[in-house]
Amino acid sequence: MSRKFSQNIVSSGKIIDFHTHPYRHRGEFMGMYGEHFYLEPEQMPSDLAEAGISVFCGSVIDSDHRGAMESFDRVREVNDAALQLREKFGSAYVPGFHVHPAFLKQSLEEVERMHREGVKLVGELVPYLQGWQHAGCDYGSEELTEILTRAGEYGMIVSYHTMPEWPEQTEMMVGNCPGVTFVAAHPGQKADYLLHVERLKKFPNLNLDISGTGLFRYGLLAALAQTVGSDRILFGTDYPICNPRMYVQAVLGEHIPDEDKEKILFGNARRILGI
Ligand SMILES: [Zn+2]
């Protein structure tokens, strides 16, 4: 690991953050200390650029919403928000959109609409914030398989929040859609990491992003690189919940080859998203 390599990576601005949640206003701002810290949406690109990130991906989340989803309108609204933010940020932002297995017909229509819009990313799917449980749905739902299979036919990638309470359902989702490239979010603590590793071994169509909890444990990336290989690990932060500078420095500070760091920080995302 060289200091020069790290400085070059950051100043080159090549880093792709695969896991963010852009926002238009406070109601969509996911930062946990929002009453003390808020950046205007216009400030997002420069804030990320300071960490060396030039491209950011992911879905908009209606952070006020926790309960049952009474209609698909709220889902469509945050998807529209993602399209609006793409207008604003241009190619710096790779929008992701939501689907909901309780609304099969509308979700299939949404896949068609987003395909026409040139959107390539489904998710991050965040079931607990969109009332999947209230509707009796989970990752194992047949409707979800149908929706994601359709998305896969259009070459879309599916990013999903890791739901520890749905281990079998998660494997059903990934296993039932072998033609779909999945990216699980959040390595978690060591027990969760071990589960991810088992799944990555089992399903060649599965990848893992390093956003959220896990990366602060020194050696996580070395462990992942040695067990699943660095081709299936994507850089992500969960911005603005997490501070992107910490994540970039954590990757640069791990004891893995520089080529692995490049794959993780931008190479794998470029390949998977075709950008
Ligand atoms: Zn997230």
Side-chain angles (χ1 to χ4, degrees):
M1 170 185 39
S2 77
R3 179 177 290 256
K4 194 151 192 288
F5 171 82
S6 299
Q7 285 169 346
N8 285 345
I9 288 277
V10 173
S11 60
S12 73
K14 281 182 186 164
I15 302 170
I16 299 174
D17 189 339
F18 184 77
H19 191 133
T20 68
H21 297 291
Y23 51 95
R24 295 171 300 176
H25 48 71
R26 281 182 177 272
E28 293 165 355
F29 181 72
M30 296 290 288
M32 284 190 183
Y33 297 94
E35 62 277 25
H36 303 286
F37 168 71
Y38 176 73
L39 296 175
E40 295 299 333
E42 292 71 24
Q43 295 174 277
M44 271 189 65
S46 58
D47 193 39
L48 289 162
E50 267 187 42
I53 298 162
S54 57
V55 175
F56 48 100
C57 318
S59 59
V60 176
I61 289 174
D62 179 357
S63 61
D64 293 334
H65 190 275
R66 299 269 158 172
M69 195 63 76
E70 52 294 331
S71 81
F72 194 74
D73 292 352
R74 287 191 88 135
V75 179
R76 209 176 278 117
E77 194 185 319
V78 283
N79 292 346
D80 285 339
L83 294 177
Q84 287 167 22
L85 286 166
R86 184 175 66 171
E87 292 287 309
K88 190 187 195 78
F89 296 132
S91 57
Y93 172 46
V94 177
F97 70 100
H98 297 274
V99 293
H100 197 306
F103 302 93
L104 174 62
K105 186 172 162 282
Q106 293 92 329
S107 292
L108 288 170
E109 284 167 4
E110 200 66 345
V111 170
E112 300 293 335
R113 177 169 85 108
M114 289 296 161
H115 172 62
R116 287 195 298 275
E117 289 283 352
V119 176
K120 284 207 68 181
L121 180 63
V122 180
E124 181 194 13
L125 300 175
V126 191
Y128 70 96
L129 290 175
Q130 293 202 325
W132 288 29
Q133 290 97 328
H134 296 275
C137 304
D138 56 45
Y139 284 157
S141 298
E142 273 175 38
E143 293 81 3
L144 185 64
T145 298
E146 191 175 336
I147 297 161
L148 298 185
T149 299
R150 180 74 57 84
E153 286 164 7
Y154 289 129
M156 293 176 178
I157 312 304
V158 178
S159 155
Y160 69 87
H161 182 81
T162 300
M163 299 287 284
E165 59 272 57
W166 293 348
E168 290 96 25
Q169 294 91 330
T170 301
E171 302 211 352
M172 281 168 75
M173 171 174 70
V174 178
N176 286 343
C177 308
V180 177
T181 299
F182 286 92
V183 182
H186 321 311
Q189 295 283 10
K190 190 167 183 189
D192 307 307
Y193 152 81
L194 291 170
L195 278 175
H196 282 301
V197 169
E198 284 315 303
R199 257 179 222 147
L200 284 153
K201 284 182 183 161
K202 204 161 157 182
F203 301 104
N205 56 329
L206 181 60
N207 303 268
L208 175 66
D209 83 42
I210 56 173
S211 67
T213 305
L215 192 61
F216 69 108
R217 300 295 192 206
Y218 200 13
L220 172 79
L221 275 194
L224 279 172
Q226 285 166 29
T227 48
V228 302
S230 53
D231 289 335
R232 294 163 71 193
I233 309 168
L234 281 85
F235 178 79
T237 59
D238 224 353
Y239 183 90
I241 300 171
C242 301
N243 185 334
R245 294 157 191 80
M246 285 182 58
Y247 287 74
V248 170
Q249 291 305 318
V251 174
L252 293 172
E254 281 260 347
H255 294 258
I256 58 173
D258 288 347
E259 308 85 76
D260 286 18
K261 292 177 189 172
E262 290 183 335
K263 285 182 185 175
I264 293 164
L265 289 168
F266 56 87
N268 296 336
R270 277 185 190 169
R271 187 186 74 245
I272 286 177
L273 293 165
I275 55 175

